Amino acid sequence: IPGAVILVMVFACFLGPTILSLPSPVGGDIVNADLPMFSAGHPLGTDQVGNDMLSRVLHGGRTSLQIALAVAGAGLIFGGALGALAAYAGGKLDPVIMRTVDVLIAFPSLVLALAVAQALGPSKENTILAIAPFAVAANTRIARAATLQLREQTFMTAAKLCGTPGHRILLRHVAPNILPNMLTFALLGMGIIIILEGALSFLGLGVPAPAPSWGNMIATGQQTLAAT
């Protein structure tokens, strides 16, 4: 179900502007500023500088989804690798990785993301860097728990007794078995990622204006409502 919802959003945001022949989300004509909904050629009206609102909503969703997919992908790849390695290798490596993850998870995610975004500056790439560590940390715990359940299975023991190298066991036996859980967690986590990205953009530390993002569009709308 989460995958189906995301597919609908991806279709609307990435193909909608082309199918509907919408104007550019930036560079609008000031003459058309603040048009109401259902105006000719502007179903959702325009903003205070004449940009088409439907175009900005869909392009802003495209930006938010690109960031969410990048962060979720980073968490899936790096978090999955770290969690599987920690559980499979054990020894001193496991507590080092997991205590580092625990420290990161202990911090309020939005507060730390704000600090990182402030230090790096507002941009799409820096927003990804500010949020990705939390996705990696969460996925590390999921991957470790799933790998611990696999580690004592008969087929894992048989692979070790056959002399299969550790990296081959991780790639051929561990990764395929933990991937379904990891994908489910990544899809469900995309909503939280979009909220974090929106919060950063709302505060001016995410995607900078005039590029559309749901967060900075909400901030602009709040200013307009306050002015009226």
Side-chain angles (χ1 to χ4, degrees):
I1 292 175
V5 172
I6 291 172
L7 284 177
V8 171
M9 293 178 61
V10 168
F11 179 82
C13 294
F14 285 87
L15 299 180
T18 302
I19 294 174
L20 299 175
S21 299
L22 296 177
S24 172
V26 297
D29 191 345
I30 193 67
V31 175
N32 296 323
D34 294 322
L35 291 178
M37 293 179 63
F38 308 116
S39 298
H42 303 286
L44 295 185
T46 61
D47 62 11
Q48 67 273 22
V49 294
N51 295 316
D52 183 77
M53 287 301 296
L54 179 58
S55 179
R56 288 186 64 78
V57 167
L58 294 181
H59 280 86
R62 181 185 299 182
T63 299
S64 297
L65 284 170
Q66 287 173 340
I67 292 174
L69 287 170
V71 172
L76 190 65
I77 295 171
F78 295 105
L82 284 174
L85 181 62
Y88 180 78
K92 295 181 179 179
L93 184 62
D94 183 21
V96 169
I97 292 177
M98 297 315 299
R99 295 300 78 76
T100 303
V101 168
D102 290 342
V103 169
L104 185 58
I105 292 178
F107 282 95
S109 56
L110 181 57
V111 174
L112 190 55
L114 284 171
V116 175
Q118 176 67 39
L120 296 177
S123 73
K124 183 191 294 186
E125 293 76 16
N126 290 342
T127 301
I128 294 172
L129 292 176
I131 303 175
F134 304 104
V136 172
N139 278 275
T140 299
R141 296 194 69 86
I142 298 295
R144 179 179 180 272
T147 305
L148 284 175
Q149 292 179 343
L150 290 173
R151 193 171 64 177
E152 305 305 325
Q153 296 293 323
T154 304
F155 70 91
M156 292 284 286
T157 304
K160 294 177 185 177
L161 292 176
C162 290
T164 307
H167 69 275
R168 190 174 180 85
I169 292 176
L170 288 172
L171 290 175
R172 295 198 59 182
H173 298 289
V174 175
N177 283 285
I178 69 173
L179 187 59
N181 290 341
M182 301 290 295
L183 285 174
T184 302
F185 182 77
L187 287 174
L188 293 173
M190 286 184 65
I192 299 174
I193 296 169
I194 290 175
I195 291 173
L196 285 174
E197 179 276 323
L200 293 178
S201 296
F202 178 83
L203 297 172
L205 297 174
V207 179
S213 166
W214 287 343
N216 61 32
M217 288 179 66
I218 293 173
T220 303
Q222 184 190 44
Q223 295 171 4
T224 303
L225 288 173
T228 56

